[in-house]
Amino acid sequence: MEAQARGLLETEPLQGRDEDTVASADFPSMLSEEEREELKAELVQLEDEITTLRQVLSAKERHLVEIKQKLGMNLMNELKQNFSKSWHDMQTTTAYKKTHETLSHAGQKATAAFSNVGTAISKKFGDMSYSIRHSISMPAMRNSPTFKSFEERVETTVTSLKVFFRRRR
């Protein structure tokens, strides 16, 4: 008897042979007529409760839509609010702050580099105008070290700018 009592209280999952036993059991014949009637009544009551809950939920959803319409809330406004909140949440993350800081620093460096290039070009133009005034001919000016240096810097700058703008696309 102890083995039978222990079998009813087992908490282990059903094994394959146990599942077969449960599947082949004839539960309706194990129930008395009174138990069967009670279960049928409980089943009807549960189905009625579920139907009522679905009706209540549907009514509450309609009421929700009416309130949102009265408040001027529509799908587009909700999407805007969700987007704004998400954007704000993203901006407050550590990763965003670090990326923003890094890109700002890179932008400052790029600005300084362009400023230096502009200064170098202006200086070279000044040197060239001096060279033009004091040189005998244009071919002589083109062969001058100043002109060659300027030409190389312009070519390097143009190439760098092309690479920079291609990467930004």
Side-chain angles (χ1 to χ4, degrees), residues 42-66:
E42 186 178 350
L43 180 65
V44 169
Q45 182 183 358
L46 283 172
E47 288 174 341
D48 288 344
E49 288 176 5
I50 290 171
T51 301
T52 303
L53 289 171
R54 284 185 179 145
Q55 291 170 348
V56 169
L57 178 61
S58 178
K60 289 192 178 279
E61 287 175 336
R62 281 192 303 273
H63 186 63
L64 175 76
V65 169
E66 290 171 6

Side-chain angles (χ1 to χ4, degrees), residues 94-109:
T94 305
Y96 177 85
K97 289 177 182 176
K98 286 182 180 178
T99 303
H100 180 69
E101 184 180 305
T102 302
L103 291 176
S104 294
H105 185 68
Q108 291 169 354
K109 292 278 189 183

Side-chain angles (χ1 to χ4, degrees), residues 2 18 24 29 31 40 51 78 98 102 107 120 122 127-128 131 136 157 163:
E2 185 179 312
D18 297 330
S24 65
S29 67
L31 297 173
K40 284 182 180 179
T51 301
E78 287 185 46
K98 286 182 180 178
T102 302
S122 296
D127 291 349
M128 270 182 41
S131 295
I136 300 171
T157 302
V163 168

Side-chain angles (χ1 to χ4, degrees), residues 9-116:
L9 299 175
E10 282 184 13
T11 58
E12 296 297 316
L14 293 177
Q15 301 299 320
R17 61 182 162 72
D18 297 330
E19 290 173 1
D20 293 339
T21 304
V22 170
S24 65
D26 188 16
F27 287 111
S29 67
M30 297 170 61
L31 297 173
S32 69
E33 190 62 36
E34 185 181 328
E35 289 173 325
R36 192 174 299 131
E37 291 302 318
E38 286 177 13
L39 287 174
K40 284 182 180 179
E42 186 178 350
L43 180 65
V44 169
Q45 182 183 358
L46 283 172
E47 288 174 341
D48 288 344
E49 288 176 5
I50 290 171
T51 301
T52 303
L53 289 171
R54 284 185 179 145
Q55 291 170 348
V56 169
L57 178 61
S58 178
K60 289 192 178 279
E61 287 175 336
R62 281 192 303 273
H63 186 63
L64 175 76
V65 169
E66 290 171 6
I67 290 173
K68 283 184 175 183
Q69 286 175 345
K70 288 178 183 176
L71 291 173
M73 297 171 68
N74 59 25
L75 182 61
M76 188 55 106
N77 287 340
E78 287 185 46
L79 288 174
K80 285 180 187 176
Q81 289 173 350
N82 288 342
F83 180 76
S84 295
K85 184 182 181 320
S86 297
W87 178 248
H88 178 266
D89 290 348
M90 188 205 47
Q91 286 179 318
T92 58
T93 63
T94 305
Y96 177 85
K97 289 177 182 176
K98 286 182 180 178
T99 303
H100 180 69
E101 184 180 305
T102 302
L103 291 176
S104 294
H105 185 68
Q108 291 169 354
K109 292 278 189 183
T111 301
F114 285 131
S115 176
N116 290 341

Side-chain angles (χ1 to χ4, degrees), residues 127-133 135-148:
D127 291 349
M128 270 182 41
S129 70
Y130 176 79
S131 295
I132 290 173
R133 279 188 240 127
S135 67
I136 300 171
S137 67
M138 200 58 124
M141 180 188 75
R142 285 190 178 150
N143 292 329
S144 72
T146 302
F147 187 84
K148 290 218 180 274

